[in-house]
Structure formats: structure tokens, C-alpha cells
């Protein structure tokens, strides 16, 4: 905007917010029940991907490459060479990912949710969440993961650089960084101290992004100028 001639003092950047009453950590019993209801084996590393990443609104067999479904599958295939993994998917048009997982022999479960808010419960079944996108506007999943106490691995897209700190509250890897995704996922799975650090710092970080706080920013930083 500045390069196009907008005055810098007129620009305000406010990130997405999160409903912390809805997105919250699960109790051990909630986690156990959720995984059992989905049929997830107890010895699997459960990786989440809750987005639309196929073109169109049909099966989604043609990948929407800016969302990185090819990278997501590449990473899971590499992880599956080292340990048992299970992919938990929600969202429409996931056909490309499902076809790749079937071909690789990686177990998964896909759920098409009736309401967007229903996704909160599915975070409770995860061991980690991956954002493999090449381009993003948010994504909402980074705050949702933190709020639910789920370790996050993400590319440096959207508001990631403004919100997250690599190695402190999340793992930030290069776009198309398959090796970096695999290394980060393995460390989260194997290093309990590191995993708990990410969870603890993520929960602390996300408190600043509650929608009530974001709403005040809109009022103070934008609307109050016109009152």
C-alpha cells in the first residue's frame, strides 16, 4: 500500500482473532474419547489438516497448490517411513490428499463438518497440526492450534511472521521445506520437553488474540478516528 502511495499513518494491521471459549485444550478424557470415536490407533502420531485444498467444490482431485496439499502428503509419506502416522482431515474437496494417502498406505479419517465451529473438537484428537501452504491470508488454523494446545508446524505465510516465534511457540519452516517439516515433526514427537514448551508458550501467546481484544483494536485504532 505504501508503494502504491498510501500514507503509512493511515494503515492499521490487525490480525485475525480467536474464540478462546470455543477453542481450548482438551482434558485427557476428552482427548481419549475423541480419538476413540474416530477410531485412531493409540500408537499413531496424529497429524491434522483442516482446510480446503482441492480446486472446485467437488471431490477435489485437482490440488490447489497454493495450499500445499502435495507438500502435506510428501511430508506424511516421509514420516511414515519412520513411525506410524495417522492423518485427520476435515473440510471439502480433499480428494487429492485422500488419494495420495491411500496410495501410500497411510491411514486417515476425513470428516465433512456441518458447522465451521465443529472443527474445534477435532483438534482434541491431534498430536500436531501442519500448515503446508505456499500462500495464505491467515490462516485461522495457526491460532486454533495454539488455543487448543496442539504443537504447530507452519510455513512462513500470511500472518505467521507477525504472530509466531520459531522454536518458541511453533515451528516455522521454509515453503516447500519437506526435510524441515519432517525434522520438526520428529522432534515434536520424540522430545517431550520441546513439545511441552511449544504448547505452554502457544497457550500464553494466543491469549492476546481473543476476539474481545481484537474488537477493541478495531474500535481504538480504526473507528474511534471517525467519531
Amino acid at each position: 500500500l505504501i508503494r502504491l502511495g498510501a500514507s503509512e499513518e493511515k494503515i492499521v494491521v490487525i490480525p485475525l482473532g480467536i474464540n478462546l471459549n470455543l477453542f481450548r485444550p482438551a482434558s485427557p478424557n476428552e482427548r481419549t474419547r475423541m480419538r476413540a470415536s474416530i477410531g485412531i490407533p493409540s500408537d499413531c502420531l496424529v497429524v491434522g489438516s483442516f482446510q480446503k485444498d482441492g480446486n472446485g467444490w467437488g471431490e477435489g482431485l485437482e490440488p490447489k497448490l497454493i495450499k500445499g496439499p502435495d507438500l502435506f502428503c510428501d511430508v506424511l509419506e516421509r514420516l511414515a517411513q519412520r513411525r506410524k502416522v495417522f492423518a485427520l482431515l476435515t473440510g471439502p474437496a480433499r480428494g487429492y490428499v485422500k488419494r495420495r494417502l491411500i496410495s501410500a498406505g497411510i491411514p486417515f479419517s476425513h470428516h465433512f463438518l456441518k458447522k465451521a465451529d465443529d472443527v474445534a473438537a477435532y483438534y482434541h484428537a491431534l498430536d500436531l497440526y501442519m500448515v503446508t501452504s505456499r500462500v495464505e491470508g491467515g490462516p485461522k488454523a495457526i491460532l486454533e492450534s495454539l488455543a487448543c494446545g496442539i504443537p504447530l508446524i507452519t510455513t512462513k505465510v500470511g500472518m505467521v511472521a507477525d504472530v509466531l516465534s520459531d522454536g518458541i511457540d511453533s515451528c516455522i519452516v521454509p515453503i516447500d521445506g519437506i526435510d524441515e517439516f519432517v525434522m520438526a515433526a520428529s522432534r515434536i514427537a520424540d522430545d517431550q520437553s520441546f513439545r511441552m514448551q511449544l504448547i505452554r508458550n502457544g497457550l500464553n501467546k494466543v491469549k492476546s488474540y481473543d476476539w474481545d481484544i481484537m474488537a477493541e483494536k478495531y474500535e481504538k485504532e480504526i473507528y474511534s478516528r471517525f467519531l
Side-chain angles (χ1 to χ4, degrees):
L1 289 173
I2 293 171
R3 285 198 301 269
L4 292 171
S7 299
E8 185 172 359
E9 63 270 16
K10 293 184 178 180
I11 298 173
V12 176
V13 178
I14 301 176
L16 291 174
I18 181 78
N19 180 350
L20 294 179
N21 292 319
L22 177 64
F23 293 92
R24 57 171 181 77
S27 69
N29 285 339
E30 287 175 319
R31 175 180 168 84
T32 298
R33 286 197 300 269
M34 191 63 190
R35 290 173 74 119
S37 70
I38 296 170
I40 299 174
S42 60
D43 58 347
C44 284
L45 178 71
V46 185
V47 181
S49 174
F50 302 157
Q51 65 174 355
K52 178 184 181 296
D53 55 14
N55 284 322
W57 292 96
E59 289 187 63
L61 295 176
E62 180 184 349
K64 190 175 184 179
L65 293 178
I66 62 171
K67 295 293 185 179
D70 53 327
L71 178 60
F72 178 78
C73 295
D74 289 342
V75 173
L76 259 63
E77 287 177 9
R78 287 272 299 276
L79 282 173
Q81 296 173 6
R82 305 182 179 193
R83 64 183 73 243
K84 292 182 179 179
V85 297
F86 186 100
L88 182 55
L89 312 174
T90 70
R94 305 303 307 268
Y96 170 84
V97 169
K98 291 159 65 175
R99 185 172 60 182
R100 285 278 307 267
L101 295 176
I102 291 170
S103 178
I106 297 173
F108 68 91
S109 183
H110 176 229
H111 303 264
F112 191 90
L113 309 180
K114 294 182 179 180
K115 298 185 297 182
D117 286 351
D118 291 344
V119 74
Y122 286 84
Y123 280 98
H124 295 169
L126 302 181
D127 293 308
L128 63 92
Y129 191 94
M130 294 199 313
V131 174
T132 57
S133 300
R134 297 176 172 95
V135 178
E136 276 290 353
K140 292 189 295 183
I142 68 171
L143 295 179
E144 293 171 353
S145 298
L146 266 59
C148 292
I150 303 302
L152 170 69
I153 312 173
T154 179
T155 50
K156 195 174 183 179
V157 290
M159 64 183 190
V160 167
D162 298 321
V163 173
L164 303 179
S165 300
D166 180 38
I168 305 298
D169 49 40
S170 59
C171 295
I172 303 174
V173 302
I175 291 173
D176 290 318
I178 297 174
D179 291 340
E180 290 85 352
F181 263 104
V182 172
M183 287 189 292
S186 297
R187 186 179 180 190
I188 289 170
D190 298 332
D191 187 338
Q192 182 178 5
S193 177
F194 179 63
R195 181 170 65 253
M196 295 309 298
Q197 171 193 299
L198 295 181
I199 293 171
R200 181 174 59 254
N201 291 337
L203 288 170
N204 187 57
K205 171 69 69 67
V206 80
K207 291 177 183 177
S208 301
Y209 295 90
D210 184 84
W211 269 124
D212 287 342
I213 296 174
M214 292 298 107
E216 288 184 7
K217 287 182 177 290
Y218 276 95
E219 179 186 6
K220 293 178 181 179
E221 299 184 32
I222 300 179
Y223 302 129
S224 63
R225 299 184 183 189
F226 303 100
L227 297 178

